[in-house]
Amino acid sequence: MSRFFLKIHEFLNRHKSLALIIAVLYLGLMSFLASGIKLEEDITKLVPSGNDQDLVKTILEESKFSDKIIFRVKAEENTDRDSLVAYANEISEFLNTELSEYVAGVKGKIPEQDIKQIYNFVQSNLPIFLNEQDYVIIDQKTDADSIAASIESGYKQLISPTGFVTKNYFLSDPLSITRLGLARLQELQVGDQYVLYQNYIMTKDQKNILFFIDPVYPASESNRNKQFTAKLEAKIASLDARYNTITGDYFGGLRYSVANAEQIKQDVRTTVIIAVTVLLILLVVYYRKFYVPILLFLPSIFAGITAVAILYILQGSVSAISLGIGAILLGITLDYSLHILTHLRNSSNIEKLYKDITKPVIMSSLTTAIAFMCLVFVKSEALRDLGIFASLSVLFSSFFALVLIPFLYTPGNIYAKTTILDRVSSLDYSKIRPLIYLLSGLFVVSLFFFSKVEFNEDLSELNYQPEHIKKVELELEGLAGRSGKTILLVAYGNSLDEALYRNNQLYQDLKKFENEGDIENFSSIGGVVLSTETQESRIDKWNSFWTAEKQDSVKNNIQKTSKIFGFKSNSFSNFDELLVKNYSSIGLKDYELAGSLYMQDFISNNPEISTVSSSVNLPEDKVERFISYFENVPGVVALDRKAINQNFLGDLKADFNILILASVVAVFLVLLVFYQNLLLSVITLLPIAITWICALGIMYFFGIEFNILNIIISSFIFGLGLDYSIFITNSCLKEYETGKSELKTYQASIILSVITTLLGIGALIFAKHPALKSISIVSIIGVLTAVSVSFILQRSLFRKLIFQQYGSLSFRRNNKNAVSEKLYHKDAILKHYRYHSTYSEAKAEFRQQREKFLKISRYLAEVDDLLVLNSGIGILPLFIKIKYPQNEVYSLEFEESKRVAAKNAYRLRDDKIHILESAQDLPLLRNYIIQGDTHDSALIKDLSKSADLMIFLETKMKTRWLLDQNFELTYRQNDILIYRKLT
C-alpha cells in the first residue's frame, strides 16, 4: 500500500504542471456537482423515524399552532381604551402593508359585518350547533311564561338607545335560541376572560389587546425571520416612544428560533476568531511554514466537496443538519494531515514516510469511517445522511492527505530549535507511575457509575432562551389563563370527515373532563364543526323536537304575547321560518365563508392525512393522567413538549447502544484484518472502551447529562480515540520492531490534534448557547480522556504484554513435546517476527520452505560455522541457529530493507546471528548456503576456495563447475543442490 502512494508521489513530482491541472479540474467538477445538492432544513429529520414517530411528525407539520405569533398591546394604569386601539390599529396596518412579505395574515380585529355574518350563519344552520343540554333549555324557553318574559325583555331592548343594534336579532329569534348555538363558538378560544372592544380582543381589565399573526415563513427559516423581527421591533420601539404609557410586544416560536440562530452565530464567531488565531500561531511556530495552516485544511476541503458531490449523485438531497454536524466532525480529518506533516518535519525521507505512515492513516480512516457508517442503522434520516457524509469525508481525507501533503509540503531544517511541544511529546507518560495509578483508579471507580448517566429528552433545554423573551412568554400565558400546562390534542383520519367524527367524540371527552374539574378550559371546534354523520343526527333531533303541536303552541304563545306590546302579526315570521326550515348538512367551505371563525387554524386537510386540533389547559399534576387516558383512544394523539420529545427520542438511547456495539464489532474486525493478531487488536481497541467508561464516569460525577446533540458528538470522540489508539499502537510496534523509539513524532501529532480539537469545539465552552456548551463539555471530557488513556494506559499495556518479552524469551530451552515443534521450531522462529511488519511474509516463507530447511539441516549437524547468502528477512539463518545453537551463523543480504528486517527479528536472541553489511565483510568459512540466484559468479568461486560444504536452494545458477573444483554432488532434489569437497 505504501508503494502505491509512493508511485503517485513520484509521478506528481515528475509532472507538476499536469498535477496542478488535474487538481483544478477535479475540484471544479466536484464543486459543480456539489452545488446541485438540495439542502433539507427540516429539524424533525434529526429525530428517529418509525410508525409512531412518523405519525407525530406528520401531525406536527400539519398543525399550525407552533408557528403562530401572539402580539400584545399593553397599557399602564389610567390609559384609556381608545389609545390601546389606536396603537393596535397602527401596528396592524404596518403588519398588513410594510411587512406583507413576511405576514400571511393578522387575526384580532373582527369586522362588524363578520359578527353579523357569523350570527346569520349559526342561525341558518341552528340544529347543527345545538347539543342535548341545549334542548333542555329550549324546552324551558318555550313554555308560555318564558315566552312572555322573552317578548317583554326584547321589547324593552328595542325601545332603548341601542335598540337599532338588537332589532334584527330579536325579531328573527325572540326566544334567543341562536345564542345557544353561538355559545359553541366561545369554545374556539381558551378561557372567557376576554371581551370585544371596537372589534378587538381585549382582556377584561382593559389593559391588553391581543391579536395573532400568521407568519409566511416557518420558525426554521431563521434568516428570513431575522429580517421580519428586526423591522417589527423597530416599529414597536417607534410606537412605544410615541405612546409613552403603551408598549407592544410579541411571542412565537420564531422569536426563540431567531434568538438561537443569532446566539449561535455570535458564539461561533467569537470562539472561532480566538481559536483560529491561536491555532495559526501554533502551527506556524511548530512547522515553521506560513502556508501550513492552509495545507492542513486542504485535504479536508477536497474530501468534503467530494463527499457532497457523491451524495448529490446518489440521492440528490441531504439534510442541512447532517452537513452542519458533519462539518464539525470534519475536524477529525485534520489528524491525518497533522500526522503526515509531523513525520515530514522530523524526517524528510519520503520513502520512509510512506512506509511508516500509510498503514496507520489508512487504518484510522477506515475504522473511523466504519464507526460513522454505523449511523445508517439509526432510525433518523439526518443521522443516516451524517453517517454517509462523515464516512466518505474521512476516507477521502486520508487519501488526499497522503497524496497532497508530501507533494506540497517542503520540510525545513529537521534540526530546528526544539519547541515546548517537542519536549512535551518526547515524554513517555506510561512510565510515570502516579499517572497510571490515577487513571486506573478513575477507571475502576467509573465502572460503578458510568451506566447511571441520564439522557435528557427535553429539547427545550438545548434552546437559548433570553430572559426578556421568556418573560413575555410567561406573561402571555398568564393572560390566556394558562397557569398550568397546555396540551395539544389532535384527532386524525384518512379523510376530513373521519377526523371530524373523531374530534366530535374527543369534544365530548373534554367536556366531561371540564365538568369534573380535571382541566381548566379548552379550545376546540368539536362543538362547531361536525362530521356529516353527527350533523344529520342533530338535524334529526331538531326535527323530532319541533313537532307540529310544539310549533303551533310556540307560535300561538308568541302571537298572543306580542300583541300586548303592539307587535304586528307578521313581526316574527322569520322565526316561524326557522322552525319549519328543511335543514341539511354543511361542509368545511360553508364554515370558511361564514366569517372570522379561523377554521384553518384548527383543521388541516390533505390527501395523506386530515387533522383537527384542540388545545387544553390543565394543572401540572394532572398532565400525566390526562395524556395516558388518550393513549388507547383510536385516532387521537395527546401531546405536550415532554411527550413529543419522549416520542421522538425514546428509542434513541437504544439505537445508540446498538450503534456503539456495531461500531466496536466492525472496528475490531478491521483491526484483526490489518494486524492479523488478536492481542494487538485488543490492545488497540481496549483504550476506546476505557475512554468511554472513564468519560461517562466523569460526566456522572459532574452531573452532565446526555442529549441528542452530545450523544452524536460521541461518534466524533470514538473516531478521535480510535486514531490515537492506532497511532500509539503503530509507534509501539515500530519501537518493538526496530528498537528505536519514534514516540516523540507520534505523540506530537496526537497532541496537535488534541490542541486543534480543544481550540475548535472545546473553545465553545465559553458559549452562551446551551447546545454549543453541551457539545463542548462532552468533547473536552472525551478528547482529554482519550489522549490520556492512549498515552498512559495503552503504552503501559503494550510494555507489559509485548515489550517485556525481550528478557523472557529463550529458545535454548524448549519445553514443547510436539513432534512438529522439535522438527521445525515454528513457534520459536515466528515469535521473532510477531508484531513486525514482516510477520505475514515470514509465515508464508516458513510454510513454503520448512521441509527444505529441515532437509538442509540434516547436513549441518556436524558443522561449526555457516554463512547464508541471500538470507532475505532471516528465516533460514534463524532456523539453523535454533536447531544448532552451538554453531556460529552468519548471514548476508544485499537488499537493505530485508537486511534491516532480519536485524530487527534477531534482536530477541541472546546469542546474536552475525549479519554482514556487504561482501567485503565476508569471513572465510567452510560451510555456505546460497538462497536463490547471485549474479556475482566471482563471489561464489571465491567462497568455494575455502568451502567444505556448499548448499544451493532454489537457484538457477550453473553449479556443475564445482565438480571440477574437487566437489561431489551428494544430494539433488526439490530444488536443493548439496556439494561436498572430496578429501
Side-chain angles (χ1 to χ4, degrees):
M1 195 176 295
S2 61
R3 300 297 303 173
F4 170 74
F5 286 99
L6 181 61
K7 288 184 179 297
I8 293 177
H9 177 79
E10 291 171 347
F11 174 82
L12 295 178
N13 266 343
R14 290 194 303 268
H15 307 88
K16 292 185 177 180
S17 298
L18 178 61
L20 180 62
I21 293 171
I22 292 173
V24 171
L25 289 176
Y26 176 84
L27 193 60
L29 176 61
M30 292 298 107
S31 299
F32 173 75
L33 292 173
S35 64
I37 199 157
K38 179 183 177 183
L39 296 180
E40 298 178 352
E41 298 185 347
D42 184 3
I43 195 170
T44 61
K45 291 185 181 294
L46 185 62
V47 298
S49 59
N51 292 335
D52 293 340
Q53 289 90 345
D54 290 344
L55 174 62
V56 173
K57 281 191 276 188
T58 301
I59 287 172
L60 288 176
E61 288 169 3
E62 296 301 321
S63 302
K64 307 299 182 185
F65 286 112
S66 58
D67 288 332
K68 285 194 175 298
I69 299 172
I70 303 176
F71 196 98
R72 174 186 64 174
V73 182
K74 179 183 178 183
E76 296 179 5
E77 295 290 340
N78 303 318
T79 302
D80 65 279
R81 295 179 296 175
D82 292 331
S83 296
L84 273 175
V85 171
Y87 189 115
N89 283 334
E90 284 202 52
I91 198 69
S92 297
E93 179 67 19
F94 179 74
L95 289 166
N96 284 318
T97 55
E98 300 295 323
L99 297 183
S100 58
E101 177 186 353
Y102 309 99
V103 176
V106 179
K107 300 168 184 175
K109 187 173 184 179
I110 303 174
E112 190 68 40
Q113 62 270 24
D114 276 17
I115 297 174
K116 295 178 181 178
Q117 194 173 346
I118 292 170
Y119 182 91
N120 292 334
F121 171 71
V122 172
Q123 191 174 73
S124 299
N125 301 282
L126 188 54
I128 294 172
F129 296 96
L130 301 176
N131 57 32
E132 291 291 336
Q133 292 77 16
D134 292 332
Y135 283 98
V136 176
I137 298 171
I138 294 173
D139 200 38
Q140 295 171 353
K141 282 179 172 286
T142 54
D143 64 41
D145 292 339
S146 295
I147 290 174
S150 296
I151 299 296
E152 182 180 359
S153 174
Y155 173 76
K156 291 179 179 179
Q157 290 181 22
L158 286 176
I159 62 175
S160 70
T162 60
F164 70 95
V165 176
T166 59
K167 177 181 178 181
N168 292 331
Y169 298 142
F170 173 67
L171 294 177
S172 63
D173 182 11
L175 304 184
S176 297
I177 297 175
T178 304
R179 291 185 178 277
L180 297 175
L182 287 170
R184 302 288 87 74
L185 298 182
Q186 294 178 355
E187 294 165 353
L188 298 180
Q189 297 296 332
V190 174
D192 57 356
Q193 61 272 31
Y194 304 111
V195 295
L196 280 179
Y197 180 74
Q198 294 192 23
N199 297 341
Y200 274 110
I201 300 173
M202 183 178 285
T203 53
K204 281 187 175 180
D205 61 7
Q206 300 184 358
K207 291 181 180 179
N208 299 274
I209 287 179
L210 300 178
F211 54 87
F212 302 90
I213 304 170
D214 288 329
V216 170
Y217 301 103
S220 58
E221 292 276 359
S222 55
N223 286 334
R224 296 276 193 176
N225 288 324
K226 178 186 175 183
Q227 300 169 10
F228 166 57
T229 55
K231 293 178 180 179
L232 178 57
E233 287 171 9
K235 182 63 175 179
I236 291 172
S238 172
L239 291 175
D240 287 354
R242 189 146 48 87
Y243 281 85
N244 292 324
T245 59
I246 302 176
T247 56
D249 214 332
Y250 66 99
F251 175 76
L254 66 79
R255 197 166 188 193
Y256 275 140
S257 177
V258 170
N260 271 260
E262 287 304 298
Q263 190 60 48
I264 288 174
K265 288 178 183 177
Q266 182 179 335
D267 287 339
V268 171
R269 184 165 52 245
T270 303
T271 53
V272 163
I273 289 173
I274 297 172
V276 169
T277 302
V278 175
L279 185 60
L280 288 177
I281 294 172
L282 174 67
L283 293 174
V284 170
V285 169
Y286 184 71
Y287 291 110
R288 301 185 180 276
K289 300 284 183 181
F290 284 100
Y291 62 83
V292 162
I294 298 173
L295 184 58
L296 186 68
F297 287 94
L298 200 58
S300 297
I301 293 171
F302 268 73
I305 293 173
T306 303
V308 176
I310 292 174
L311 282 172
Y312 168 72
I313 295 171
L314 293 178
Q315 57 191 49
S317 64
V318 67
S319 167
I321 299 166
S322 66
L323 281 189
I325 298 174
I328 297 174
L329 299 184
L330 272 180
I332 198 172
T333 63
L334 297 180
D335 279 9
Y336 312 132
S337 298
L338 286 169
H339 288 304
I340 296 170
L341 281 168
T342 306
H343 276 75
L344 273 173
R345 174 184 180 270
N346 295 333
S347 173
S348 58
N349 188 321
I350 295 295
E351 186 174 355
K352 182 178 184 300
L353 167 79
Y354 278 120
K355 187 175 180 181
D356 290 347
I357 206 71
T358 302
K359 182 178 178 180
V361 166
I362 295 298
M363 283 182 66
S364 295
S365 66
L366 190 58
T367 52
T368 304
I370 288 174
F372 280 130
M373 189 57 73
C374 289
L375 283 170
V376 300
F377 300 111
V378 178
K379 298 173 185 177
S380 164
E381 187 175 336
L383 294 185
R384 284 196 292 268
D385 286 349
L386 170 62
I388 297 171
F389 173 70
S391 299
L392 292 172
S393 299
V394 165
L395 289 174
F396 280 106
S397 289
S398 64
F399 175 82
F400 286 120
L402 287 167
V403 172
L404 296 176
I405 301 297
F407 176 66
L408 297 174
Y409 177 69
T410 304
N413 181 10
I414 62 173
Y415 301 106
K417 184 179 179 180
T418 302
T419 65
I420 295 176
L421 181 59
D422 289 317
R423 290 193 289 271
V424 171
S425 58
S426 63
L427 294 174
D428 188 347
Y429 297 92
S430 65
K431 292 181 178 179
I432 304 176
R433 290 188 176 275
L435 292 180
I436 297 175
Y437 297 147
L438 180 64
L439 201 54
S440 300
L442 174 63
F443 173 69
V444 172
V445 173
S446 296
L447 283 172
F448 297 97
F449 299 101
F450 79 97
S451 61
K452 297 182 180 180
V453 177
E454 297 293 330
F455 184 86
N456 191 340
E457 296 172 343
D458 191 352
L459 288 175
S460 65
E461 294 191 12
L462 297 179
N463 278 332
Y464 174 65
Q465 298 180 341
E467 286 299 322
H468 67 283
I469 299 179
K470 189 67 178 175
K471 179 183 177 184
V472 174
E473 180 186 13
L474 294 174
E475 288 179 0
L476 288 173
E477 285 183 350
L479 289 177
R482 297 174 182 174
S483 56
K485 290 279 291 186
T486 300
I487 305 297
L488 178 67
L489 285 163
V490 182
Y492 62 91
N494 295 325
S495 66
L496 178 58
D497 210 53
E498 182 181 357
L500 288 171
Y501 179 76
R502 287 175 171 171
N503 190 61
N504 298 153
Q505 294 177 312
L506 170 63
Y507 171 79
Q508 299 300 327
D509 288 332
L510 294 179
K511 290 296 290 184
K512 180 181 177 183
F513 276 111
E514 186 178 45
N515 293 334
E516 293 176 355
D518 291 327
I519 64 176
E520 294 177 0
N521 43 53
F522 68 93
S523 173
S524 172
I525 63 170
V528 179
V529 184
L530 312 174
S531 65
T532 302
E533 181 181 346
T534 305
Q535 289 183 50
E536 291 175 351
S537 173
R538 291 193 172 187
I539 292 170
D540 291 341
K541 173 66 177 177
W542 173 274
N543 292 333
S544 63
F545 179 83
W546 290 106
T547 61
E549 293 79 12
K550 184 81 169 177
Q551 291 182 32
D552 291 341
S553 173
V554 170
K555 289 177 183 178
N556 291 334
N557 284 326
I558 290 175
Q559 286 283 353
K560 180 180 178 180
T561 305
S562 64
K563 285 181 181 180
I564 300 173
F565 294 96
F567 288 100
K568 295 179 181 179
S569 59
N570 62 347
S571 295
F572 300 101
S573 57
N574 288 339
F575 181 70
D576 295 342
E577 293 177 6
L578 190 71
L579 299 181
V580 299
K581 181 180 176 180
N582 185 22
Y583 294 98
S584 60
S585 60
I586 57 177
L588 184 59
K589 288 186 178 180
D590 297 305
Y591 285 99
E592 293 173 348
L593 294 172
S596 303
L597 294 179
Y598 306 135
M599 292 296 111
Q600 66 272 25
D601 292 345
F602 296 87
I603 296 174
S604 172
N605 184 26
N606 63 50
E608 289 78 27
I609 188 173
S610 295
T611 64
V612 184
S613 303
S614 303
S615 179
V616 178
N617 188 236
L618 71 166
E620 187 85 40
D621 58 348
K622 296 183 178 180
V623 170
E624 187 174 345
R625 175 175 169 270
F626 179 80
I627 290 179
S628 64
Y629 173 84
F630 291 99
E631 286 179 355
N632 299 316
V633 175
V636 176
V637 176
L639 298 171
D640 71 333
R641 184 171 61 191
K642 182 178 179 181
I644 292 172
N645 293 341
Q646 288 175 341
N647 190 290
F648 281 159
L649 306 180
D651 297 332
L652 191 61
K653 280 195 297 183
D655 283 347
F656 268 91
N657 289 335
I658 295 172
L659 166 67
I660 292 169
L661 179 61
S663 299
V664 168
V665 172
V667 167
F668 184 67
L669 292 175
V670 172
L671 293 175
L672 277 177
V673 169
F674 273 93
Y675 288 131
Q676 297 185 8
N677 184 277
L678 180 62
L679 180 59
L680 281 182
S681 301
V682 170
I683 291 176
T684 305
L685 192 59
L686 189 60
I688 306 302
I690 297 174
T691 296
W692 186 249
I693 291 171
C694 289
L696 289 177
I698 294 171
M699 289 176 65
Y700 174 79
F701 298 142
F702 286 95
I704 301 168
E705 295 179 321
F706 266 130
N707 55 57
I708 189 171
L709 290 180
N710 61 30
I711 205 170
I712 295 171
I713 294 299
S714 65
S715 299
F716 170 71
I717 304 304
F718 187 82
L720 275 179
L722 268 175
D723 278 2
Y724 300 162
S725 293
I726 289 171
F727 277 93
I728 288 296
T729 294
N730 280 276
S731 73
C732 291
L733 287 175
K734 195 75 178 174
E735 182 178 345
Y736 175 77
E737 184 174 349
T738 65
K740 298 177 182 177
S741 175
E742 294 190 18
L743 183 64
K744 171 186 171 183
T745 300
Y746 284 91
Q747 286 194 162
S749 60
I750 291 174
I751 291 172
L752 280 171
S753 170
V754 172
I755 292 172
T756 55
T757 302
L758 294 181
L759 284 175
I761 302 177
L764 292 173
I765 189 71
F766 302 108
K768 292 183 180 179
H769 197 287
L772 296 180
K773 188 182 289 286
S774 170
I775 290 172
S776 178
I777 291 172
V778 172
S779 298
I780 292 172
I781 293 173
V783 170
L784 291 180
T785 306
V787 70
S788 300
V789 170
S790 293
F791 280 15
I792 300 169
L793 292 187
Q794 187 180 358
R795 265 191 68 83
S796 180
L797 282 172
F798 210 99
R799 181 180 293 104
K800 292 286 184 184
L801 300 176
I802 296 178
F803 280 172
Q804 290 183 359
Q805 290 189 50
Y806 290 160
S808 63
L809 293 177
S810 176
F811 299 109
R812 294 181 182 277
R813 297 181 303 275
N814 193 338
N815 296 323
K816 292 183 175 288
N817 295 318
V819 175
S820 63
E821 184 62 25
K822 287 183 177 180
L823 289 174
Y824 304 112
H825 303 285
K826 175 184 177 181
D827 292 340
I829 291 171
L830 293 183
K831 187 170 289 188
H832 287 74
Y833 296 89
R834 189 164 291 124
Y835 314 125
H836 288 210
S837 57
T838 55
Y839 182 66
S840 297
E841 183 181 348
K843 281 178 64 178
E845 182 179 342
F846 183 83
R847 184 171 58 251
Q848 295 169 1
Q849 303 283 31
R850 65 177 187 172
E851 295 296 339
K852 296 176 183 179
F853 290 172
L854 182 62
K855 185 66 179 179
I856 291 171
S857 69
R858 290 171 182 166
Y859 292 86
L860 304 175
E862 304 300 326
V863 305
D864 55 358
D865 56 20
L866 176 71
L867 168 70
V868 180
L869 186 64
N870 296 336
S871 55
I873 60 175
I875 300 293
L876 180 55
L878 187 58
F879 176 85
I880 295 169
K881 186 67 178 178
I882 293 173
K883 195 81 172 175
Y884 304 111
Q886 73 280 2
N887 290 359
E888 290 291 323
V889 180
Y890 296 82
S891 73
L892 174 59
E893 171 56 48
F894 295 102
E895 188 175 330
E896 183 182 5
S897 61
K898 291 184 178 180
R899 188 167 63 248
V900 171
K903 283 183 179 180
N904 294 333
Y906 297 163
R907 287 174 55 245
L908 293 181
R909 294 195 54 75
D910 296 330
D911 41 356
K912 300 286 193 297
I913 296 171
H914 305 288
I915 299 176
L916 307 178
E917 297 292 331
S918 67
Q920 285 74 25
D921 300 329
L922 282 172
L924 293 176
L925 303 177
R926 291 187 297 163
N927 305 288
Y928 298 98
I929 299 176
I930 297 92
Q931 289 192 102
D933 299 326
T934 301
H935 300 294
D936 188 356
S937 58
L939 175 63
I940 304 299
K941 288 182 180 180
D942 288 342
L943 296 179
S944 67
K945 294 176 182 179
S946 64
D948 291 333
L949 177 67
M950 296 195 74
I951 300 175
F952 294 87
L953 176 62
E954 293 186 343
T955 184
K956 294 181 181 179
M957 294 188 302
K958 294 179 180 180
T959 60
R960 294 191 62 81
W961 59 269
L962 284 169
L963 298 175
D964 298 331
Q965 302 296 322
N966 203 26
F967 282 87
E968 67 172 340
L969 182 62
T970 59
Y971 184 85
R972 180 177 183 174
Q973 195 172 342
N974 298 326
D975 289 329
I976 300 175
L977 297 173
I978 300 178
Y979 289 90
R980 283 189 182 276
K981 182 171 279 188
L982 297 173
T983 55

